[in-house]
Amino acid sequence: MSRFNADFSALRRPAFLAGAAFALCLLIGWLAFRSLFAYHLDHARRDALHRLDALALSLEAALARHETLPGLLALDPTLAALLDAPHDPARLAAANVYLEAAQQGAQVAVAYLIDAQGLTVAASNWRQPRSFVGHDYSFRPYFRDALEKGLGRFYGVGVTTGEPGYFLAAPIRRDQRLLGVVVLKQQLDALEQALANSADPLLLVDGNGIVFLASSRALRYRSLAPLAEPVAARLGDTRQYGEQPVAPLADRPVRLDQPGPLRLALPGEATRERLVHARPVGLQGWQIVELGNPDEARSAATAQATVLALAAAFALGLIAHLRHRARRREELRRVHASLETRIAARTADLTAQIAELEKTKAILRETRDAAVQAGKLATLGQMSAGISHELNQPLAALQTLADNARALLDRDRLPEAAENLAMISDLVARTGRIVRQLKSFARKEVPTPQPVTVDRAIEHALLIVEPRRRETGARIQTPAPAPDRRVIAEAGRVEQILVNLLRNGLDAMAGQSEPLLVIDCRTVGDLRELSVRDHGPGLSDEAHAHLFEPFFTTKPAGEGLGLGLAISRTIAESYGGTLTVRNAPGGGAEFVLALPADGDSDAPPDT
């Protein structure tokens, strides 16, 4: 009986140790996953807040663009004269023409004049069937705020046109007497387009928690939480969102201070986890909200935790193997010391034990190779964070335009400053497109080609590389203007290719005394060829053979990932075009981008 208990204990001990080792590896993997998942979520939160900061700056710039214009319009005597005599046809005609000119000059949706009782007496759309003239807007908050506070701000759906917009209102006074209010309606189409370009749902929420702009129209006019009765009553009184019913956004309230993933069911979607990121924007209690996807962070944390668990299993297996070998050697020494006469009988047993040891070593080698391979895959996934340097190009242009805008504002050159701010907004949108284009290298997206003006694409690309051009002191020669010269592609992607080619050319000529970069355009059959030639050292045979391969670069370490040309060729081929390179006669490299020519263009073929 004691012999049976001893044998049973000897069998049970290895099973217990193996189970304990397995549980330890699982514990290590679980703890690593929790820590890594929290790290990746924090990283995703920082990235989301950076994106929201950029969108918030763009929105605040758009809202502030016409902030002072109602007050300026209120100073014109034409409007005050009409409010003194609202039935005078001559004064009415003058006020309508003045508001129409102001609306066209400021590029706003509509400008209109309201008397002190809230009745619209003149408007820029007085010629149109749905003119604002004769409508009573005294119930609108912007009218009351203009009378009480001096400036009214309001976003809502137009009760006359049914179109949403941002309203700015300022009072008209004479000798401390209130005559009426002048109002501007501004549409936020550029911001709506920027939201629509987001991969994750983006929401613009008002102070009542109602989504009034979103990346998807299905998410509009929904509330983050059920509305309180006073809020619902106020919405009905002001008709802020017209007759549109305000339903909850999700199956549960959305908290903007949610620290971790929140399970939500958005309209038309199944329940899934979302990361809620929010940033305040503007002066009216608005919030810009991103509903991110934690799957990428979870996948990265799972892969890395698996690698750590496998590494722990490998280490434990190695320790067990070494202890097993040491124990066997000790047994062999005792056998040889005490049982010299039984060596022959034990030979077969020892041979079997050696075979078992070799089998164990083979299993350990396979486990080690699997762990090393998993480590390589995890490292390759982390390399994707380095592509953020592709954003440095439009950010440099944003810096230049921001400096110019500040200088123009200091000189009170408001129209020119407004143009710079509009260009900044365009560049922010184009930055989002660059990020999506980098993603397209790994995930093919269906292109939407359309006619693209070549001259405009060249102009925008030159604007982005202007800081680098000044830094190198290079001169860039462009082709003669031809407004009808177009290709079938997408403007942002053509500009991205040109920016990559221009920057490569400028980098190739760095250090030269008089660097020259030549851009040319010619028509060959059904294609337009855009060439960018530098006067640098040219390409070696090895560089020429591998130049368009991902991660191949001739630049020093840390100055490029080698993705630009690979992505550029992918973009060109998606439109049925090509991107090639050759060493030009007389020195330097020449890149040739060929894209389908627009069939409606009247530009003659180049000879």
Side-chain angles (χ1 to χ4, degrees):
M1 186 66 179
S2 60
R3 176 67 180 272
F4 173 78
N5 290 337
D7 292 343
F8 180 75
S9 298
L11 291 174
R12 186 173 58 180
R13 179 177 174 81
F16 173 78
L17 293 177
F22 179 73
L24 179 60
C25 292
L26 289 179
L27 178 61
I28 292 173
W30 180 72
L31 293 175
F33 171 78
R34 290 192 60 182
S35 177
L36 290 168
F37 187 44
Y39 168 79
H40 287 293
L41 285 181
D42 184 64
H43 184 73
R45 181 186 64 81
R46 291 196 302 268
D47 288 346
L49 290 179
H50 286 320
R51 290 191 296 271
L52 295 182
D53 285 342
L55 285 172
L57 288 175
S58 175
L59 174 59
E60 289 171 351
L63 296 180
R65 181 180 180 183
H66 300 299
E67 188 87 1
T68 60
L69 186 55
L72 294 176
L73 295 179
L75 300 176
D76 191 275
T78 304
L79 303 183
L82 176 61
L83 293 174
D84 284 335
H87 301 294
D88 187 327
R91 294 186 180 186
L92 176 61
N96 282 330
V97 170
Y98 174 72
L99 291 174
E100 187 177 33
Q103 176 265 326
Q104 294 174 356
Q107 296 182 350
V108 295
V110 66
Y112 50 104
L113 179 64
I114 305 176
D115 65 16
Q117 287 72 43
L119 183 67
T120 303
V121 296
S124 61
N125 60 4
W126 61 281
R127 304 175 189 270
Q128 301 176 9
R130 291 193 296 178
S131 172
F132 289 6
V133 175
H135 288 272
D136 185 352
Y137 296 123
S138 59
F139 62 93
R140 284 295 207 179
Y142 61 78
F143 176 76
R144 297 195 297 269
D145 288 345
L147 296 179
E148 298 171 3
K149 304 176 183 178
L151 180 63
R153 302 182 183 92
F154 180 72
Y155 183 91
V157 175
V159 295
T160 304
T161 63
E163 298 177 355
Y166 181 64
F167 296 83
L168 291 169
I172 299 177
R173 302 178 185 275
R174 176 184 290 168
D175 299 330
Q176 303 301 319
R177 183 168 59 93
L178 182 65
L179 299 180
V181 172
V182 61
V183 186
L184 295 180
K185 180 180 180 182
Q186 176 184 356
Q187 293 179 331
L188 302 180
D189 295 339
L191 176 64
E192 186 175 4
Q193 182 62 36
L195 295 180
N197 291 333
S198 173
D200 294 318
L202 277 176
L203 317 172
L204 195 56
V205 182
D206 66 13
N208 296 319
I210 300 174
V211 179
F212 62 90
L213 278 181
S215 54
S216 171
R217 290 185 175 272
L219 305 178
R220 280 189 183 182
Y221 309 125
R222 295 180 179 271
S223 60
L224 301 183
L227 296 178
E229 291 186 5
V231 174
R234 186 166 62 252
L235 291 178
D237 294 339
T238 62
R239 299 171 65 184
Q240 182 171 3
Y241 300 117
E243 304 299 329
Q244 180 71 36
V246 179
L249 175 66
D251 57 340
R252 65 187 63 189
V254 181
R255 291 177 47 197
L256 298 184
D257 58 349
Q258 177 73 20
L262 178 66
R263 293 187 62 82
L264 296 174
L266 297 179
E269 295 185 4
T271 302
R272 57 178 297 182
E273 287 187 333
R274 293 286 186 181
L275 294 174
V276 182
H277 307 294
R279 183 206 187 278
V281 58
L283 303 174
Q284 303 176 78
W286 293 358
Q287 297 266 357
I288 186 165
V289 182
E290 180 183 89
L291 300 180
N293 186 355
D295 291 346
E296 185 175 349
R298 180 176 285 105
S299 297
T302 300
Q304 294 168 0
T306 301
V307 171
L308 289 175
L310 290 175
F314 173 75
L316 291 175
L318 183 60
I319 293 172
H321 170 67
L322 294 176
R323 292 190 60 186
H324 179 72
R325 290 190 62 179
R327 187 166 55 250
R328 287 290 186 239
R329 286 173 181 170
E330 181 63 26
E331 290 176 358
L332 287 175
R333 282 195 297 270
R334 289 200 303 268
V335 169
H336 279 286
S338 62
L339 300 173
E340 287 283 342
T341 59
R342 301 178 59 184
I343 292 177
R346 298 285 293 175
T347 300
D349 183 54
L350 292 174
T351 302
Q353 292 180 13
I354 293 173
E356 183 181 352
L357 289 173
E358 293 299 326
K359 181 178 179 181
T360 302
K361 289 168 65 177
I363 293 173
L364 289 174
R365 282 196 300 270
E366 294 177 0
T367 304
R368 178 195 61 197
D369 294 341
V372 171
Q373 182 63 23
K376 291 179 181 178
L377 293 175
T379 302
L380 181 61
Q382 294 171 355
M383 289 174 62
S384 62
I387 63 175
S388 61
H389 80 285
E390 295 288 345
L391 297 175
N392 289 335
Q393 300 167 355
L395 287 177
L398 284 174
Q399 180 64 50
T400 301
L401 290 173
D403 292 342
N404 290 343
R406 182 171 57 189
L408 291 171
L409 288 174
D410 290 341
R411 300 173 185 174
D412 290 331
R413 294 164 62 181
L414 298 182
E416 298 176 26
E419 292 177 4
N420 271 29
L421 292 175
M423 295 175 71
I424 288 175
S425 177
D426 292 340
L427 279 176
V428 171
R430 190 150 54 248
T431 302
R433 290 198 297 270
I434 291 175
V435 174
R436 292 194 308 280
Q437 291 157 8
L438 289 171
K439 290 182 180 179
S440 71
F441 182 75
R443 183 182 69 250
K444 184 176 181 181
E445 298 178 349
V446 179
T448 54
Q450 55 188 324
V452 176
T453 303
V454 173
D455 290 358
R456 187 174 302 167
I458 294 174
E459 178 185 356
H460 288 178
L462 290 175
L463 178 64
I464 295 175
V465 302
E466 177 61 17
R468 181 57 178 162
R469 185 202 66 77
R470 291 198 305 266
E471 188 177 308
T472 60
R475 181 167 62 90
I476 301 179
Q477 178 179 317
T478 59
D484 293 329
R485 187 164 48 203
R486 296 188 293 269
V487 294
I488 301 300
E490 288 181 291
R493 296 195 173 190
V494 174
E495 293 165 15
Q496 181 188 357
I497 296 175
L498 289 175
V499 166
N500 280 325
L501 300 183
L502 291 172
R503 282 186 59 86
N504 286 343
L506 292 173
D507 291 343
M509 298 185 297
Q512 293 184 359
S513 59
E514 295 182 358
L516 172 63
L517 198 63
V518 179
I519 306 174
D520 197 9
C521 183
R522 51 187 173 269
T523 301
V524 180
D526 294 334
L527 298 176
R528 292 202 192 281
E529 292 186 350
L530 276 168
S531 66
V532 178
R533 177 190 174 182
D534 62 60
H535 289 76
L539 299 171
S540 64
D541 292 340
E542 180 185 2
H544 192 280
H546 301 285
L547 197 60
F548 293 98
E549 294 179 3
F551 305 111
F552 176 83
T553 178
T554 59
K555 298 179 181 179
E559 294 186 11
L561 287 177
L563 286 176
L565 290 177
I567 294 176
S568 296
R569 172 172 276 187
T570 300
I571 294 173
E573 291 176 352
S574 70
Y575 300 126
T578 60
L579 179 60
T580 57
V581 65
R582 64 191 176 207
N583 282 324
E590 182 179 20
F591 287 84
V592 179
L593 170 64
L595 293 171
D598 178 21
D600 295 334
S601 176
D602 296 330
D606 298 334
T607 57

